[in-house]
Amino acid sequence: MTERNPNPPYKRIATEEAWAPAEMIELYRKEIEEKAINDPGFQSLWGFFSGDSPKAKAHHARIQDLGEIRLKDMDDSGIDIQVLSLTSPGVQIFDPATATSLATRFNDELAEGIARHPDRFVGLAAFSPLDPANAAKELERGVKKLDMRGGILNSHTLGTYMDDEKYWEVFEAAEALDVPIYLHPNTPPAQMIEPFLKRGLDAAVYGFACETGLHALRLMVAGLFDRFPKLQIILGHCGEALPFWLYRINYMHSHISVTGRYPNVGPLKRKAEEYLRENFIYTNSGVGWAPPVMFVRDVIGPDRMMYAMDYPWQFVPEEVAWMDDLPLDDAGKKQFYEDNARRVFKIAE
């Protein structure tokens, strides 16, 4: 059995680690009871995880904690630093104004938790995507006033995607601030989810990757990175499978974009594969398996692949030992676990 290195020549920084304030969980419970929004995926995911089963209760304890429970889990599994972000779907099920108000409060609460353990935590700022001006302001406040290291976008907002230019102020702000946006999965929206639900494929098993990979491609095809060429978007779960489709995405988009077949799809300034290699950063969150991790490093580049555990949604302490066993020398493992994360999130040594 592979054992974790107890004294590695690197720090382990986990870059997609979830947090939820108690107030948000209570608001989720209220929404589940009242069913005021049409979001079957939210009802499926949080209908279970806000419940009283043993698994849900253990999840409650871990995801809300910013102290003893979380730190013990980190110590027990060999994680030195967590990059914390508001768990999906965050504030994005609420109306835009309410979501902006909640994002401000939750960012303040997260910053307070980080301040109690500044050597163990850094954070990403939440915002209300459909309130573009205030989203940009809250990201700027989070970075400049709260020392957040980027933003968290929990993918679609009740079926609305961010490829419409009217929502791009937050991306403009991220580029100007030189911070990344983590594009985190959400369950597929109402207009997409039905074929997934019957067989339990709506969430992490498959639906997350389909939904978030779709969002990433919509942003790219819309010309987001032509407008903001320095913008960096982070994708977890080994890139939501996009690196494995790299050749076909590149080939097909290059043909489709010049035919005029789709009125909202035109040529871009670069090849599709270039955006996926130059404007996206990847983590292995939820994928504790060497072959796909190594594939992304090889195809995209070793400076664009970071470690993540996906705590507490997929808390597998043994995974750290599996990643310690990657076919890399110590310098390669240090780059994967530590160096890339320090660069991307500006984490001082």
Side-chain angles (χ1 to χ4, degrees):
M1 180 181 292
T2 301
E3 294 185 0
R4 170 168 58 89
N5 187 337
N7 295 296
Y10 45 78
K11 299 289 186 182
R12 299 186 186 93
I13 302 175
T15 55
E16 188 197 296
E17 317 310 307
W19 168 73
E23 179 184 359
M24 191 172 79
I25 300 296
E26 288 306 311
L27 289 170
Y28 282 3
R29 287 190 174 120
K30 181 179 179 182
E31 171 53 39
I32 288 162
E33 292 173 2
E34 297 178 356
K35 296 184 178 179
I37 61 171
N38 178 28
D39 192 337
F42 173 78
Q43 294 285 337
S44 173
L45 182 67
W46 281 100
F48 177 81
F49 279 102
S50 66
D52 294 320
S53 70
K55 184 176 180 66
K57 286 182 176 179
H59 190 261
H60 295 168
R62 284 193 162 103
I63 202 166
Q64 294 180 64
D65 185 75
L66 289 175
E68 182 178 346
I69 295 172
R70 188 178 294 261
L71 292 170
K72 184 178 187 304
D73 285 342
M74 291 169 66
D75 291 341
D76 288 348
S77 54
I79 302 301
D80 296 284
I81 298 171
Q82 282 191 347
V83 180
L84 301 167
S85 55
L86 192 65
T87 197
S88 185
V91 301
Q92 293 172 221
I93 65 165
F94 307 106
D95 69 84
T98 299
T100 290
S101 176
L102 290 172
T104 299
R105 295 214 300 276
F106 296 159
N107 287 337
D108 287 342
E109 186 175 342
L110 178 57
E112 290 169 3
I114 292 169
R116 290 192 289 270
H117 305 283
D119 58 330
R120 307 300 303 274
F121 301 141
V122 297
L124 304 179
F127 52 84
S128 175
L130 304 191
D131 185 5
N134 284 319
K137 290 178 183 177
E138 183 57 22
L139 179 62
E140 182 175 12
R141 187 186 78 93
V143 172
K144 290 186 174 181
K145 299 291 181 64
L146 303 180
D147 197 29
M148 298 294 186
R149 308 306 170 88
I152 180 70
L153 173 60
N154 285 302
S155 204
H156 74 87
T157 302
L158 298 179
T160 297
Y161 287 88
M162 298 285 283
D163 52 314
D164 191 313
E165 293 183 21
K166 67 184 179 182
Y167 301 124
W168 285 8
E169 286 182 68
V170 72
F171 297 123
E172 182 179 15
E175 185 187 55
L177 293 162
D178 190 29
V179 296
I181 298 289
Y182 205 122
L183 182 59
H184 186 279
N186 198 348
T187 49
Q191 63 266 39
M192 178 183 179
I193 198 171
E194 190 57 37
F196 293 84
L197 277 171
K198 181 177 180 180
R199 299 299 183 186
L201 299 173
D202 49 304
V205 63
Y206 191 57
F208 281 173
C210 295
E211 188 279 326
T212 311
L214 172 68
H215 198 165
L217 290 179
R218 287 180 65 144
L219 293 173
M220 182 189 75
V221 171
L224 177 69
F225 303 108
D226 288 346
R227 178 81 63 84
F228 308 114
K230 296 180 181 179
L231 176 66
Q232 299 293 306
I233 301 288
I234 303 173
L235 289 172
H237 316 102
C238 285
E240 313 299 353
L242 295 184
F244 305 93
W245 285 87
L246 188 68
Y247 176 87
R248 193 159 173 83
I249 291 168
N250 190 63
Y251 179 88
M252 287 300 175
H253 180 265
S254 69
H255 285 259
I256 291 168
S257 63
V258 298
T259 64
R261 177 181 173 186
Y262 299 97
N264 295 314
V265 179
L268 299 172
K269 292 181 180 179
R270 289 177 275 158
K271 295 179 180 179
E273 65 179 301
E274 293 179 68
Y275 299 100
L276 290 169
R277 287 192 172 109
E278 296 168 7
N279 292 98
F280 288 91
I281 299 165
Y282 302 80
T283 83
N284 75 306
S285 55
V287 182
W289 189 31
V293 174
M294 296 302 296
F295 179 85
V296 176
R297 288 183 89 257
D298 291 343
V299 169
I300 300 296
D303 61 336
R304 288 187 168 266
M305 185 58 167
M306 304 185 293
Y307 175 70
M309 180 175 275
D310 209 355
Y311 178 95
W313 290 99
Q314 193 170 327
F315 178 40
V316 182
E318 299 85 356
E319 175 192 286
V320 176
W322 304 336
M323 294 296 97
D324 279 357
D325 202 37
L326 286 171
L328 298 170
D329 60 19
D330 284 345
K333 291 175 187 176
K334 186 174 186 293
Q335 183 182 42
F336 170 66
Y337 272 123
E338 180 180 6
D339 293 346
N340 291 340
R342 288 196 188 277
R343 184 190 74 250
V344 170
F345 298 112
K346 299 180 175 66
I347 302 172
E349 294 194 43

